[in-house]
Amino acid sequence: MDRIIFVDRDATVRAPMACGILKELLGDDDSIEVMARGIVVLFPEPINQKAEAVLASNGIHLEDYVSVALSPEDIRKDTVVLLIEPSDRDKAISMVGDENAFRVRSLGEICNEELPIMDPYGGVVGTYGLCFETLQNTIRKLLDIIWADTVLIREMGETTGEEENINEREED
């Protein structure tokens, strides 16, 4: 099973929304495990109430969701870490380790999106709805990319010859 981890600052708004959207679009297809993680999670928190309301109004329910910090234990050979905020890249890499840096990508980068996915935190419910629509459109593109190139995750999970040589030198 492949794994996609959506990462946002505190994993209470955009990352769980993205996770819920992709799970909904995948339906019964369990070939991809979808998770949400945060960069700054001091303690487990439920999903933001406005984000939860927008998801529910679109038929998406995240039962018993609480935020969890990104960690090296989340990473497997078949994992892709997709950042909602490209500026979180360095912090995410520091959390999963330099050896996993090649697994960390921006959702916008993968989907060739030029505009960032706005952070609705503090806005009215309608702002969360706009964020949902943007995420949904971007994640539909992501799903198209995954289905068109089913090796995306596997390619990122395989090491290149150069990385293998580095690993061999480190073992010596």
Side-chain angles (χ1 to χ4, degrees):
M1 175 188 307
D2 296 326
R3 178 182 281 180
I4 294 176
I5 304 174
F6 290 104
V7 176
D8 195 7
R9 191 86 47 196
D10 64 0
T12 61
V13 180
R14 292 177 293 176
M17 286 176 79
C19 178
I21 292 166
L22 183 54
K23 284 181 177 181
E24 179 72 17
L25 291 173
L26 287 170
D28 293 333
D29 182 347
D30 62 354
S31 65
I32 300 175
E33 180 181 13
V34 185
M35 304 167 71
R37 293 291 186 261
I39 295 290
V40 180
V41 179
L42 303 177
F43 52 88
E45 291 186 74
I47 188 171
N48 175 288
Q49 290 179 342
K50 293 176 185 174
E52 185 175 37
V54 168
L55 286 173
S57 71
N58 285 279
I60 300 171
H61 303 278
L62 296 177
E63 301 298 323
D64 302 319
Y65 177 85
V66 292
S67 60
V68 176
L70 181 65
S71 74
E73 291 77 31
D74 293 324
I75 308 301
R76 304 185 314 212
K77 183 178 179 180
D78 60 354
T79 301
V80 176
V81 176
L82 295 178
L83 304 171
I84 305 295
E85 287 288 335
S87 60
D88 289 334
R89 182 175 170 74
D90 290 342
K91 182 63 176 165
I93 290 170
S94 74
M95 295 174 81
V96 299
D98 289 338
E99 68 278 8
N100 291 309
F102 68 99
R103 300 177 192 287
V104 179
R105 307 276 294 278
S106 158
L107 177 60
E109 170 192 358
I110 294 270
C111 298
N112 294 317
E113 291 287 332
E114 293 182 20
L115 297 175
I117 297 167
M118 67 183 224
D119 186 353
Y121 186 77
V124 297
V125 174
T127 306
Y128 285 77
L130 290 173
C131 178
F132 174 88
E133 289 174 16
T134 303
L135 277 169
Q136 187 176 48
N137 290 334
T138 303
I139 291 168
R140 282 186 175 137
K141 288 180 186 178
L142 174 66
L143 200 52
D144 288 344
I145 291 166
I146 290 170
W147 295 147
D149 183 10
T150 57
V151 297
L152 170 68
I153 295 173
R154 288 176 193 88
E155 282 179 357
M156 291 182 74
E158 295 172 1
T159 57
T160 64
E162 181 179 275
E163 289 165 335
E164 289 173 346
N165 291 338
I166 291 170
N167 292 336
E168 288 173 12
R169 285 191 296 247
E170 289 175 356
E171 291 173 3
D172 292 343

